[in-house]
Amino acid sequence: MRPVSERATVRYTDSDGLAGALHGADVLFVYDFTSTAVPGAWPSADRLRWVHVGATGVDSVMFDGLIGSDVVVTNTRGIFDVPIAEYVLAQILNFAKDLPESWRLQQRHDWRHRESERLSGATVLVVGTGSIGRAIARMLRCVGMDVRGLGRRAYSDDPDFGSVGTDLHAELPAADYVVAVAPLTPQTRHMFDARAFAAMKPHARFINVGRGELVVTDDLVAALRNGSIAGAALDVVDPEPLPVGHALWDLPNVQLTPHNSGDVLGWRRDIVTAFAENFRKWIDGRPLENVVDKRLGYVPS
């Protein structure tokens, strides 16, 4: 934060103290992007001009007061792209090669020959065509997977996806793997419900690295239990953190991680560096990077 503190007065606060610290501030850096304190502290934002969120998703600050204001919102787009793509590839390999079962057999000293699935030629539907979705597509294409995208607009001859569709339920039946990385907006909330899971192949796997609220959790649990889909890898869930005793903890075809798919070593430093670089542009009157379209809830591609 030194480049910032050299040119501005910096106040550090937690969620409880945000309202008091926000009074008279020009810029708000939401370093703790899991905090939900901004809407409640909003009446104290008497001078605010810019909000920077230390994450790609900005749903925690997308409330009516901020959306309807002149305050500019930016995010930390780009930092988590490749790490999340690596995580998705790892989970697909985990499913295709059934590494958890290999580990269980090893623990029992059971030398049992088994066959595995191939990645090359398998079809992946990436739901969300922003920078993270594109990084996922590029990585999966490198191992020979057939990748399609799903976004707001349909187009063909895309360098990363090949083609992009707009109708989720029309695209799901062809996919062997479905990767959710869409931003959380009113249009995407609960897009993966019982109807969506019923449209998937029985051998398909679902991977969520977007937001837990993209999914109707009870419908996902039912689909995993009744065989509508073969498995799920979930880095995000709803609710989060997952309560003790929740069904997802113990389902044998589920892989859970605690919302850390993009958190490689050094990520905290990287999000501060990204804010400091954007701050230099703001203080010098230059255009900011990663400006969010507040009506859409994300940075348009």
Side-chain angles (χ1 to χ4, degrees):
M1 287 290 288
R2 184 173 299 149
V4 180
S5 60
E6 288 174 349
R7 305 185 71 176
T9 300
V10 179
R11 304 169 183 165
Y12 294 93
T13 183
D14 57 13
S15 293
D16 292 339
L18 179 58
L22 197 55
H23 178 70
D26 298 286
V27 180
L28 173 62
F29 174 26
V30 186
Y31 173 77
D32 178 8
F33 48 81
T34 64
S35 172
T36 58
V38 177
W42 185 248
S44 298
D46 54 347
R47 213 169 98 174
L48 199 63
R49 291 186 282 165
W50 170 34
V51 173
H52 180 86
V53 180
T56 304
V58 296
D59 46 278
S60 64
V61 301
M62 285 293 103
F63 57 97
D64 291 344
L66 179 53
I67 293 171
S69 73
D70 294 330
V71 176
V72 176
V73 177
T74 58
N75 71 359
T76 316
R77 187 181 194 227
I79 286 176
F80 302 103
D81 294 6
V82 172
I84 292 177
E86 292 172 346
Y87 172 94
V88 170
L89 175 58
Q91 290 289 8
I92 290 176
L93 283 165
N94 200 35
F95 282 126
K97 306 309 174 185
D98 198 7
L99 300 180
E101 179 62 14
S102 295
W103 173 246
R104 287 188 286 268
L105 292 172
Q106 179 183 337
Q107 295 300 102
R108 298 201 300 265
H109 299 187
D110 186 350
W111 187 272
R112 184 187 306 174
H113 179 270
R114 297 182 301 127
E115 296 178 342
S116 64
E117 303 168 18
R118 69 175 73 224
L119 268 64
S120 179
T123 299
V124 184
L125 177 65
V126 178
V127 181
T129 57
S131 63
I132 296 176
R134 290 184 174 277
I136 292 169
R138 288 192 293 270
M139 189 162 292
L140 298 185
R141 285 166 70 92
C142 286
V143 296
M145 303 190 84
D146 178 18
V147 185
R148 290 182 53 84
L150 187 127
R152 279 192 314 122
R153 298 187 309 275
Y155 42 94
S156 57
D157 299 324
D158 184 272
D160 296 321
F161 296 105
S163 63
V164 175
T166 60
D167 187 339
L168 176 66
H169 296 94
E171 299 287 347
L172 286 172
D176 301 302
Y177 294 90
V178 177
V179 181
V181 69
L184 180 61
T185 68
Q187 291 73 37
T188 62
R189 184 180 296 272
H190 292 166
M191 66 190 303
F192 289 99
D193 56 9
R195 181 184 170 213
F197 293 122
M200 293 170 62
K201 296 178 180 178
H203 71 256
R205 278 76 171 228
F206 175 70
I207 301 172
N208 191 2
V209 289
R211 284 289 186 268
E213 294 87 345
L214 299 175
V215 179
V216 179
T217 303
D218 288 346
D219 290 355
L220 172 60
V221 170
L224 290 163
R225 282 175 166 164
N226 65 28
S228 292
I229 62 174
L234 309 172
D235 187 53
V236 290
V237 292
D238 179 28
E240 193 171 302
L242 194 65
V244 174
H246 195 282
L248 287 173
W249 283 114
D250 296 313
L251 286 173
N253 49 354
V254 173
Q255 300 292 323
L256 291 170
T257 52
H259 205 148
N260 65 346
S261 60
D263 298 348
V264 295
L265 295 173
W267 70 273
R268 291 179 176 86
R269 179 194 63 240
D270 291 343
I271 65 174
V272 174
T273 299
F275 169 67
E277 291 174 352
N278 230 6
F279 176 80
R280 289 191 187 98
K281 294 181 178 182
W282 183 80
I283 206 77
D284 293 338
R286 292 180 286 151
L288 293 171
E289 294 288 334
N290 297 334
V291 175
V292 172
D293 184 326
K294 293 189 291 184
R295 296 166 301 170
L296 297 176
Y298 53 88
V299 179
S301 298

